[in-house]
Amino acid sequence: LPPVSLTTFTVTQGETSSLVLRASTPLNDDVVLENEFLSLVFSRESGRLISIKNKDSGIETAVEQYFCYYVGGTGDDKSGQKSGAYIFRPKTGECLPIALGDATKTISTVVQGAVQEVRQTFALDPDSDLPWLTQTVRLAAGDRFASFEFDVGAIPTRQLAGANATAETCVMWRGTVRGVRVPKDDKNCSEVISSSNSGFCECADGRRAGKTQGGKLPFTCTSVCRFHTGKEVVSRFNTSIASAGELLTDSNGRDMLLRRQDMRPSWTLDQTEPVAGNYYPINSAVAIGDPSAQLTVLVDRAQGAGSVASGVLELMVHRRLLVDDARGVGEPLNETKFTQSYALQDGGAHFGPGLVIRGTHYLTLERPAEAAKVWRPLADRIFSRPLLAFGGPALAETFTALANPLPPNVQLMTLHALSEGRLLLRLSHQFGIGEDALLSEPVTVDLAALFDPAVLPVITVREVSLTNNQDKSEILARRARNAKWTSDTSPHAWRHLVFDYGTSTKVTLGPLEMKAFELTTGMSTSDVFV
């Protein structure tokens, strides 16, 4: 699509085309997804991704991608802090792999036009044998990245590892009245216990589960005697990259920050949480690398990510926890299909199947010096997707407001109508200092030549603050009055350039710099934004 444009497509119904199934289980050979830039190999035994090769640069890296979960912590001898809505504090440092066990590995490969995909099934619900964790890995012709689209949920709360089947057995529902046993009110384990019943479930190991004196949602003792745990599911990449415990994470989608395992740059860290203490918030990208290769993963929403060992990258994709972390919400992070009104006696009680999420990770493998040139534009594509609109008779087939394309390292962030004949324009340099030999250099844009005058005739331009509440000239004047802000000693001279549209229509942007302008145009706003 052209930039700042509208393109119309006419859709007509044609003949149905079928997918081409290239392989299905059981597999005799490893599965390969391949285009002109990348090659991804999946193991015929495990169904997992096991290696990636960048055919353009010749880099080949062992990459095992799979899902695992941390058991949600419920407090220990060191601290009573639980894992919950605000706190990530796993019970142990072990991330338990999610796999089909001895069942036949479910993996198939599909080819449809220019897109190849591998479909994986990682886990089945212990009670229904329906999949609760699946993933589709896609590689399209011409792309330097692979996408990993995952469906996770409902996360089963049943304890999946280390549970004692005998201890989970139900003995009987024991009826009580005000804490006194009433044998005539006993029930079988399979009978439904409603809000009118009072008592508890007696389990084979002596536990009293499902205690109630009314007001609790219906359940059976067979269900509540089973061991249940909260789970925090992550997508994990085990690689041969010698990252030495270092990790790059984005700062609000802009600058990339270097993180080091068990270390903070401004104080001496006493690490008491070896997993959670190495997780960081990310909005756009996370990467691990060594001198020869950088593996970058882009996300489609804010997530937590971390590196708990050299060559390991983890991204948190879903959580379901059974206890409150006592940080203000007042309930466990146990999102379900149904929730009772908070005005009732059991206000906010959750029941029904758990939340199902779908997300996508985008993976690139490049040499460190070339990595940003691939993942930075891809991050813009993910964040600023085309807006789809459907209607009747079309307008012009193609329309664009730009007379000349922007430089490859500049993004138009905002073009917003303020009032009649007034627009807010924000331009952004998309590369950080030192990320690329060419694209990280300052760049100049001519605002007078940017827009097509037949579409958007620009009369005057003034530079404003990013929030558009003051002129940029006022900010620079205040800096000049402050002795600590002197352009003579600043290594970034472009930050102090005064823009005057009457003198020069060109503006310079330094690495990761954003600038905002108020445009006065000779066309009504309604004509521009039809």
Side-chain angles (χ1 to χ4, degrees):
L1 296 175
V4 196
S5 71
L6 172 127
T7 300
T8 303
F9 300 91
T10 301
V11 180
T12 57
Q13 185 172 354
E15 296 182 359
T16 303
S17 62
S18 59
L19 300 177
V20 179
L21 187 65
R22 273 191 8 204
S24 60
T25 54
L27 298 170
N28 296 319
D29 299 302
D30 291 342
V31 173
V32 180
L33 295 187
E34 190 171 22
N35 66 7
E36 58 268 48
F37 296 114
L38 293 175
S39 175
L40 288 77
V41 180
F42 296 79
S43 168
R44 65 181 179 87
E45 296 179 354
S46 67
R48 298 176 178 176
L49 174 70
I50 54 175
S51 71
I52 301 176
K53 181 177 182 179
N54 184 314
K55 298 162 66 175
D56 191 30
S57 62
I59 303 170
E60 186 168 6
T61 302
V63 180
E64 183 185 26
Q65 187 269 337
Y66 62 97
F67 294 87
C68 57
Y69 70 91
Y70 291 101
V71 175
T74 56
D76 54 28
D77 295 339
K78 295 180 181 179
S79 170
Q81 180 62 60
K82 304 171 179 62
S83 201
Y86 287 102
I87 300 293
F88 169 43
R89 189 169 188 261
K91 183 177 181 179
T92 69
E94 183 181 7
C95 195
L96 302 170
I98 300 173
L100 291 175
D102 295 331
T104 302
K105 301 297 180 291
T106 303
I107 176 175
S108 61
T109 306
V110 174
V111 179
Q112 186 177 25
V115 180
Q116 310 167 53
E117 62 183 46
V118 161
R119 299 175 180 178
Q120 302 164 298
T121 298
F122 284 90
L124 304 178
D125 188 276
D127 294 321
S128 67
D129 285 338
L130 294 176
W132 70 267
L133 204 167
T134 61
Q135 180 173 256
T136 299
V137 183
R138 295 188 179 93
L139 181 64
D143 283 346
R144 299 183 71 99
F145 67 91
S147 65
F148 293 69
E149 183 182 86
F150 44 84
D151 289 78
V152 185
I155 298 176
T157 60
R158 288 266 315 266
Q159 184 171 333
L160 301 181
N164 185 321
T166 301
E168 287 187 317
T169 305
C170 163
V171 176
M172 184 74 73
W173 165 261
R174 303 300 187 184
T176 64
V177 174
R178 291 188 292 274
V180 179
R181 281 278 291 115
V182 182
K184 68 181 182 64
D185 291 339
D186 290 355
K187 294 178 179 291
N188 294 326
C189 294
S190 59
E191 291 187 66
V192 175
I193 308 301
S194 66
S195 59
S196 62
N197 298 118
S198 175
F200 59 89
C201 296
E202 181 182 342
C203 306
D205 61 351
R207 284 178 295 127
R208 294 186 175 187
K211 297 179 183 179
T212 179
Q213 290 185 347
K216 198 176 182 71
L217 290 170
F219 60 89
T220 67
C221 287
T222 298
S223 173
V224 299
C225 275
R226 292 169 176 164
F227 292 118
H228 295 263
T229 59
K231 299 176 180 65
E232 312 191 63
V233 180
V234 307
S235 175
R236 191 175 208 182
F237 296 84
N238 286 347
T239 77
S240 57
I241 293 174
S243 62
E246 293 187 344
L247 182 73
L248 290 171
T249 67
D250 74 278
S251 176
N252 289 325
R254 304 295 295 163
D255 201 8
M256 294 296 283
L257 305 180
L258 176 63
R259 316 286 194 173
R260 291 188 172 92
Q261 186 178 0
D262 298 333
M263 182 265 186
R264 300 294 184 268
S266 56
W267 78 91
T268 301
L269 174 67
D270 179 17
Q271 182 62 276
T272 59
E273 300 291 338
V275 177
N278 287 297
Y279 260 66
Y280 302 92
I282 58 170
N283 293 305
S284 180
V286 61
I288 57 174
D290 59 23
S292 62
Q294 177 173 315
L295 182 83
T296 307
V297 178
L298 303 180
V299 298
D300 60 355
R301 70 203 69 183
Q303 294 175 17
S307 180
V308 297
S310 180
V312 175
L313 178 60
E314 295 182 357
L315 296 98
M316 184 78 68
V317 296
H318 200 2
R319 309 171 74 213
R320 188 178 184 185
L321 299 163
L322 306 180
V323 293
D324 178 34
D325 60 4
R327 293 290 171 168
V329 176
E331 62 183 13
L333 184 66
N334 184 21
E335 298 169 289
T336 55
K337 185 175 182 179
F338 304 107
T339 305
Q340 280 192 339
S341 169
Y342 283 80
L344 298 179
Q345 179 180 353
D346 292 321
H350 295 248
F351 60 101
L355 183 71
V356 180
I357 65 96
R358 172 176 291 175
T360 306
H361 291 154
Y362 303 84
L363 183 145
T364 72
L365 179 68
E366 301 286 341
R367 294 192 184 279
E370 305 290 326
K373 184 164 59 178
V374 175
W375 76 258
R376 283 283 188 187
L378 177 57
D380 292 334
R381 285 175 55 185
I382 296 170
F383 179 75
S384 302
R385 297 178 182 272
L387 176 65
L388 299 180
F390 299 88
L395 301 172
E397 289 189 359
T398 301
F399 161 87
T400 179
L402 292 190
N404 295 290
L406 286 166
N409 50 358
V410 175
Q411 181 86 342
L412 193 155
M413 304 291 285
T414 305
L415 187 60
H416 173 69
L418 297 173
S419 63
E420 190 69 21
R422 294 172 57 240
L423 300 175
L424 178 64
L425 169 70
R426 291 191 184 98
L427 296 177
S428 170
H429 193 303
Q430 295 300 89
F431 285 76
I433 294 176
E435 286 186 344
D436 187 88
L438 296 177
L439 297 176
S440 290
E441 291 297 310
V443 61
T444 299
V445 178
D446 188 346
L447 297 184
L450 183 58
F451 295 101
D452 184 347
V455 178
L456 189 62
V458 177
I459 299 174
T460 61
V461 180
R462 68 184 181 96
E463 187 175 3
V464 295
S465 64
L466 290 180
T467 54
N468 191 28
N469 65 349
Q470 55 189 312
D471 286 345
K472 184 65 175 289
S473 59
E474 297 175 3
I475 298 175
L476 294 176
R478 284 197 299 272
R479 288 181 182 176
R481 293 193 296 268
N482 189 330
K484 293 183 180 297
W485 287 90
T486 56
S487 57
D488 295 337
T489 59
S490 172
H492 307 313
W494 61 81
R495 296 184 182 272
H496 306 278
L497 296 176
V498 177
F499 176 75
D500 182 357
Y501 191 73
T503 303
S504 173
T505 60
K506 296 180 179 180
V507 59
T508 298
L509 294 166
L512 289 180
E513 186 175 26
M514 286 188 284
K515 290 188 175 183
F517 307 88
E518 188 177 300
L519 279 57
T520 301
T521 72
M523 185 171 288
S524 77
T525 305
S526 58
D527 289 336
V528 177
F529 297 95
V530 174

